[in-house]
């Protein structure tokens, strides 16, 4: 499931190299058109991935999602070429543990909004060293609040990982202003949806619950992995509508995304969840997720094929 990268130039501080439209260039020289619709209108997609020991975890799942979304938005991409470009970017930067972001926009278009005027997509890939949260943060868990922003469960946009990220950024600002780590969106029906960058899970009566894909969320790659692991571990799961008060009544709760993995939630709007400690099932899932990563990336760096 992973893709390998050789490690070059370890310990050497040089300017980052990025991939832009078929060319690897220094980050300082990478330029995107002023008429790019990704910049002008947020008409684009992105994926954020994590490399462990030189191997991109669940790379094919990320590629499949962006390819499916690109097809839906009418953005022509070559998934095979995109895969090679990501690996090349990781290699040229000599990274083993990294954050990789691939961004695809519909490209440069006419001054009057018209996606059909965009002929060639813009593809930007950036790979940077990633330092995860300290173990102490995972032991303490995140404090979350409710965002004032609501998601539209009837809109197709939340189900796509688009560069239209304003709502998430505003929610993160709300969390920061409140001294919290993240903010949770409710949808237009007042149901729990997701956080600014993560999917949300709660555990109640030995069942793992997460908002349904029809609630206005982005069904994350890590979200899918958690459902897989729970099945393997014999834990009941339920994708369902969840009211916000159920979070406070839950035995445990946690957030997931590709960078942080599984992050316990121990405080919601100033009220304790699970005695402000990661719960037993959450800890079991964290261990299972860690083992899955080790299994799928154990070969580490590998030679060019």
């Amino acid at each position: 499931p992973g893709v390998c990268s050789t490690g070059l130039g370890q310990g050497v501080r040089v300017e980052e190299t990025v991939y832009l439209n078929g060319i690897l260039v220094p980050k300082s020289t990478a330029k995107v058109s002023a008429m790019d619709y990704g910049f002008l209108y947020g008409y684009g997609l992105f994926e954020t991935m994590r490399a462990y020991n030189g191997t991109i975890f669940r790379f094919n799942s990320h590629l499949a999602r962006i390819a499916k979304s690109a097809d839906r938005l009418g953005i022509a991409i070559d998934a095979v070429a995109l895969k090679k470009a990501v690996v090349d970017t990781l290699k040229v930067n000599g990274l083993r543990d990294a954050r990789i972001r691939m961004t695809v926009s519909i490209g440069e278009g006419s001054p009057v909004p018209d996606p059909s005027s965009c002929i060639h997509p813009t593809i930007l890939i950036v790979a940077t060293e990633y330092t995860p949260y300290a173990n102490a943060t995972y032991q303490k868990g995140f404090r979350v609040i409710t965002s004032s922003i609501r998601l539209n469960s009837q809109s197709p946009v939340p189900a796509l990982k688009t560069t239209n990220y304003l709502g998430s950024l505003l929610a993160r600002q709300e969390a920061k202003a409140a001294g919290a780590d993240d903010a949770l969106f409710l949808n237009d029906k007042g149901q729990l949806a997701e956080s600014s960058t993560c999917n949300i899970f709660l555990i109640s009566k030995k069942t793992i619950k997460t908002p349904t894909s029809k609630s206005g969320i982005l069904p994350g790659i890590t979200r899918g992995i958690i459902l897989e692991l729970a099945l393997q571990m014999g834990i009941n799961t339920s994708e369902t509508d969840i009211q916000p008060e159920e979070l406070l009544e839950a035995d445990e709760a946690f957030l997931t995304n590709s960078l942080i993995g599984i992050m316990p939630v121990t405080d919601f709007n100033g009220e304790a969840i699970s005695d402000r400690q990661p719960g037993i099932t959450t800890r079991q899932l964290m261990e299972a997720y860690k083992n899955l990563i080790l299994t799928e990336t154990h070969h580490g760096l590998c030679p060019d094929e």
Side-chain angles (χ1 to χ4, degrees):
V3 174
C4 293
S5 163
T6 57
L8 305 174
Q10 298 296 322
V12 179
R13 299 295 297 179
V14 296
E15 183 181 358
E16 294 166 8
T17 297
V18 304
Y19 175 97
L20 179 62
N21 296 333
I23 304 173
L24 289 164
V25 297
K27 184 175 67 173
S28 62
T29 66
K31 309 296 180 186
V32 175
S33 169
M35 299 308 297
D36 190 277
Y37 275 32
F39 169 71
L40 293 176
Y41 306 114
Y43 203 123
L45 302 161
F46 76 98
E47 289 287 330
T48 304
M49 303 166 289
R50 188 167 166 186
Y52 298 84
N53 198 27
T55 299
I56 303 169
F57 184 56
R58 292 292 170 105
F59 190 14
N60 290 334
S61 296
H62 287 280
L63 282 169
R65 181 168 65 180
I66 201 168
K68 181 178 179 180
S69 298
D71 183 65
R72 184 171 182 179
L73 294 182
I75 303 175
I77 62 171
D78 181 339
V80 175
L82 187 60
K83 185 174 186 175
K84 182 179 184 302
V86 173
V87 174
D88 287 347
T89 306
L90 189 62
K91 285 181 178 180
V92 76
N93 285 287
L95 295 169
R96 297 174 58 130
D97 299 300
R99 174 188 186 274
I100 306 109
R101 170 167 164 147
M102 52 180 173
T103 306
V104 177
S105 86
I106 198 169
E108 182 178 0
S110 65
V112 177
D114 179 10
S116 67
S117 68
C118 302
I119 307 301
H120 302 291
T122 296
I123 299 175
L124 173 67
I125 300 167
V126 180
T128 56
E129 187 175 356
Y130 181 73
T131 302
Y133 283 101
N135 288 334
T137 303
Y138 286 92
Q139 294 303 314
K140 181 180 179 182
F142 267 11
R143 298 175 57 212
V144 301
I145 62 167
T146 304
S147 172
S148 64
I149 300 167
R150 297 292 179 265
L151 297 184
N152 183 358
S153 63
Q154 305 304 308
S155 170
V157 175
L160 304 173
K161 199 171 180 69
T162 73
T163 54
N164 233 318
Y165 220 56
L166 183 59
S168 291
L169 292 175
L170 292 174
R172 290 181 71 80
Q173 288 180 328
E174 288 183 324
K176 185 176 182 180
D181 300 294
D182 205 348
L184 300 179
F185 293 119
L186 305 183
N187 63 18
D188 50 315
K189 301 175 184 177
Q191 299 162 341
L192 195 64
E194 60 187 1
S195 87
S196 67
T197 59
C198 302
N199 288 120
I200 178 75
F201 288 80
L202 58 86
I203 302 172
S204 181
K205 298 179 181 179
K206 298 183 179 181
T207 296
I208 297 176
K209 298 181 179 181
T210 193
T212 172
S213 59
K214 296 181 180 179
S215 62
I217 69 167
L218 173 73
I221 303 298
T222 310
R223 175 183 182 272
I225 293 173
I226 297 305
L227 295 174
E228 291 175 13
L229 289 174
L231 179 64
Q232 295 170 12
M233 296 166 67
I235 305 173
N236 293 328
T237 63
S238 176
E239 297 178 68
T240 185
D241 295 333
I242 299 175
Q243 301 301 319
E245 56 268 22
E246 292 182 58
L247 187 54
L248 287 174
E249 298 167 357
D251 299 316
E252 307 173 40
F254 58 88
L255 300 172
T256 64
N257 72 24
S258 294
L259 288 183
I260 67 173
I262 302 172
M263 177 63 72
V265 174
T266 55
D267 186 290
F268 178 43
N269 290 331
E271 297 192 47
I273 298 174
S274 186
D275 297 325
R276 291 195 169 91
Q277 298 289 330
I280 295 175
T281 303
T282 300
R283 294 200 301 269
Q284 291 173 339
L285 285 166
M286 292 170 72
E287 186 65 21
Y289 184 76
K290 178 181 177 180
N291 289 335
L292 179 66
I293 291 170
L294 290 173
T295 298
E296 295 190 4
T297 64
H298 72 280
H299 49 275
L301 305 179
C302 61
D304 294 331
E305 297 180 354

